[in-house]
Amino acid sequence: MKKDTGQNRDITSQWRLQTQLVRGGTWRSEMGETSEAMFMTSGYAYDCAEDAAARFAGDQEGYTYSRLRNPTAAMFEDKMALIEGAEVARSTATGMAAVTAAMLSIVKAGDHVISSRALFGSCRYVIETLMPKFGVDFTLVDGSDHSAWKEAFRPNTVAVFLETPANPTLDVVDVQFVCDLAHENGAVVVVDNVFATPVLQKPIEMGADVVIYSATKHIDGQGRCLGGCILTTDALMDETILPFLRNTGPNISPFNAWVMLKGLETLDLRVERMCGNAAKVADALSDMGGLDFVKYPGRSDFAQHELAMKQMSMGGSIIALHVPGGREQAFKFLNALDIIDISNNIGDAKSLMTHPASTTHASVAKESRLELGIDEGLLRLSVGLEHADDLIEDLIQAAAIARITK
Ligand SMILES: *Cc1c(COP(=O)(O)O)cnc(C)c1O
C-alpha cells in the first residue's frame, strides 16, 4: 500500500470539506486504483514469523486481524475523523453498536449518567435498561431545560448522552452549554449527531468529547448498508473505547465500510439538496393548513429556531408534523402517499415517512412517549432527493384523501 496525499493529515486538514469528503483518508495500492480498494479479508499473512511477532508487539506497522483493523474500514475511519475534526475515529457495524460501545466502555458499576430524554428508541433502551443492569444509575432530563441539566449532576456522574436534533421531535439541545457544565463536573459528553450529519453540525467544536454516527442514515444515504462510527480524542480512544472495541468486536464489514466511503464522496451534495427540499416541503405543509403543527428547525416558527441555526448550518432533512385525527388519520395519510414510502429509515435518497408511536418509538413506555410529545398524531418525514414539487404534490393529494383540511 502506498500512502496517498489523502493520508497526510497536515495537508488534508487544510482542505475544504468537499475536497476532504472526496479525497481525504485515501490509500492507494500498487494497482493505482482510483476508487478505494475493498479489502474483504479477515486475516493477514506475514513474510516471516519475526514480522508476525514484531507486528503483534507494535514494532512494525501493518495489519494483523480485521477485528483489530481492516484497511477499507481504516480509510472510512480516517475520512470520518478528518471531516469531523476529531483526532481519531473507529467504525462499527451499526449506529447502535457505536452508542453501546461508547457508553459501556466509559461507565462502570456505581457510576451515574445523564441523558436528554428525547432520544431514538434504542438509545433510550441503552440508557434506561442496559445501564441499570450493570449498576449504572441514570437521570433523564428535558434537554431544553438548563436548570434540569444543572440539578442532574452528582459526584459520580461520568457521562452525558444527548441527541440534537432529537428523533423524532427535533428538540434541540444547547451543546456548548451542556459540554461546559459536564466538564465542570468532570463528565464526558457523548453526542449522537445523526440527524444533523457531519456536514451541518460540529459537536467537537462545541466541546463534545465523543461524537456518534449511524452511517446507515445520510452517510450511506442510499438505503443499502448498516454502519456506525465513534469519533473522539486519541486519549479517550486508546485508553477507554478501543480496548472495548478490539475485544468485543462490533466491527463494520469491509464491504459496508467501502459503501460508506463511496457515500461520503457525495454527502455534502446530498445533504444540501435534502435540506433545500425539506425547507420547501415544510413551507408547503405549513401553507396547506389543517395540520396541528409542522416542525422544521430551519423555519422561523420553530420554537428553538435560533439555537438550531446557531448550531447547524442548515435546517436538516427531517420534518415532524402532526395530524389532528390521531392514529386513524395518520395511517390514512401514510396509506394515501404515492411517491413517499412508509418507512422508518432516514437520510435516504428516497423520501420516507413513519408514524413513530407505532414504529421507532413503539418500545418506549407510553407515558414516556407522551412526555416526549410522541402521540398518535405525530408523523416524521425524512425528505430525500426527489424533486420538491413532486413531494409537495404527493403530500397534498394524500392529505386530501385523509381529509386533513383547514
Ligand atoms: C438510526 C439512529 C441510530 C441507530 O443507528 P443504526 O445504524 O440503526 O443502529 C441512533 N441514533 C439516531 C438518532 C438514529 O436516527
Side-chain angles (χ1 to χ4, degrees):
M1 291 284 273
K2 191 174 103 190
K3 277 197 180 201
D4 190 67
T5 49
Q7 282 290 327
N8 187 337
R9 195 69 191 262
D10 290 342
I11 296 170
T12 56
S13 61
Q14 305 297 317
W15 289 346
R16 290 158 188 87
L17 175 70
Q18 292 74 9
T19 311
Q20 291 176 336
L21 284 165
V22 175
R23 293 188 172 270
T26 301
W27 288 81
R28 205 162 260 172
S29 82
E30 58 273 34
M31 300 301 165
E33 67 281 353
T34 49
S35 172
E36 288 80 352
M38 195 198 307
F39 291 90
M40 208 67 205
T41 183
S42 45
Y44 305 84
Y46 312 93
D47 287 343
C48 59
E50 288 78 5
D51 278 2
R55 236 177 262 183
F56 269 82
D59 298 334
Q60 186 185 84
E61 252 195 82
Y63 297 85
T64 54
Y65 188 55
S66 284
R67 170 154 47 74
L68 309 182
R69 227 171 175 207
N70 170 278
T72 309
M75 284 191 271
F76 169 51
E77 291 159 0
D78 290 348
K79 199 188 286 276
M80 284 297 294
L82 186 67
I83 63 171
E84 193 68 34
E87 289 177 5
V88 63
R90 282 292 183 277
S91 50
T92 53
T94 64
M96 283 320 302
V99 170
T100 310
M103 292 308 291
L104 282 184
S105 62
I106 289 168
V107 301
K108 63 178 187 315
D111 286 344
H112 172 249
V113 299
I114 306 170
S115 173
S116 54
R117 66 184 185 202
L119 295 181
F120 181 63
S122 295
C123 294
R124 281 279 294 227
Y125 166 85
V126 169
I127 303 294
E128 275 185 309
T129 309
L130 204 54
M131 292 284 124
K133 250 180 108 169
F134 295 97
V136 177
D137 240 348
F138 70 92
T139 304
L140 293 174
V141 299
D142 171 350
S144 64
D145 182 347
H146 283 199
S147 59
W149 280 109
K150 281 184 192 155
E151 282 159 23
F153 282 89
R154 300 184 196 163
N156 60 339
T157 304
V158 294
V160 170
F161 184 83
L162 65 93
E163 195 177 294
T164 184
N167 183 358
T169 52
L170 304 176
D171 293 353
V172 176
V173 177
D174 187 334
V175 180
Q176 179 100 53
F177 167 79
V178 174
C179 289
D180 289 347
L181 191 62
H183 295 157
E184 279 165 31
N185 287 276
V188 299
V189 179
V190 181
V191 176
D192 179 334
N193 204 39
V194 172
F195 266 45
T197 81
V199 171
L200 303 181
Q201 180 167 271
K202 301 279 183 210
I204 288 176
E205 287 174 9
M206 295 186 266
D209 303 282
V210 182
V211 178
I212 299 287
Y213 287 104
S214 164
T216 316
K217 311 296 169 54
H218 304 77
I219 292 173
D220 171 17
Q222 286 145 91
R224 299 163 293 195
C225 286
L226 300 170
C229 194
I230 304 173
L231 298 113
T232 186
T233 58
D234 283 323
L236 200 55
M237 183 61 83
D238 290 347
E239 287 156 29
T240 307
I241 301 172
L242 199 53
F244 184 95
L245 291 174
R246 289 167 68 98
N247 291 299
T248 60
N251 302 63
I252 195 168
S253 152
F255 177 81
N256 288 13
W258 179 82
V259 172
M260 299 308 175
L261 272 167
K262 297 290 98 190
L264 283 175
E265 292 184 353
T266 58
L267 180 69
D268 180 62
L269 280 176
R270 287 183 287 106
V271 169
E272 204 176 300
R273 172 64 66 85
M274 283 176 177
C275 291
N277 279 353
K280 288 180 194 160
V281 170
D283 287 347
L285 283 170
S286 195
D287 293 346
M288 181 180 86
L291 293 165
D292 296 321
F293 63 73
V294 175
K295 282 191 194 172
Y296 180 64
R299 276 177 61 88
S300 57
D301 64 356
F302 182 72
Q304 295 172 289
H305 175 66
E306 211 172 301
L307 176 61
M309 290 300 101
K310 194 179 112 194
Q311 299 189 152
M312 296 198 288
S313 56
M314 294 180 89
S317 65
I318 321 282
I319 300 168
L321 52 142
H322 198 279
V323 301
R327 178 182 290 224
E328 195 187 338
Q329 194 172 37
F331 279 21
K332 254 196 193 140
F333 190 27
L334 284 168
N335 292 338
L337 293 165
D338 285 331
I339 297 175
I340 299 166
D341 289 306
I342 304 168
S343 177
N344 45 279
N345 202 358
I346 60 158
D348 197 292
K350 296 185 172 72
S351 294
L352 310 172
M353 187 140 87
T354 196
H355 179 251
S358 60
T359 60
T360 53
H361 289 70
S363 67
V364 177
K366 194 171 173 199
E367 315 83 77
S368 309
R369 267 208 315 267
L370 293 179
E371 192 180 48
L372 295 176
I374 305 171
D375 61 16
E376 296 293 337
L378 185 74
L379 290 163
R380 185 193 74 191
L381 172 60
S382 171
V383 180
L385 298 176
E386 303 93 338
H387 196 290
D389 292 346
D390 287 325
L391 298 175
I392 291 165
E393 284 165 21
D394 192 27
L395 288 160
I396 288 176
Q397 67 78 26
I401 293 172
R403 297 184 180 283
I404 297 165
T405 48
K406 274 182 230 201

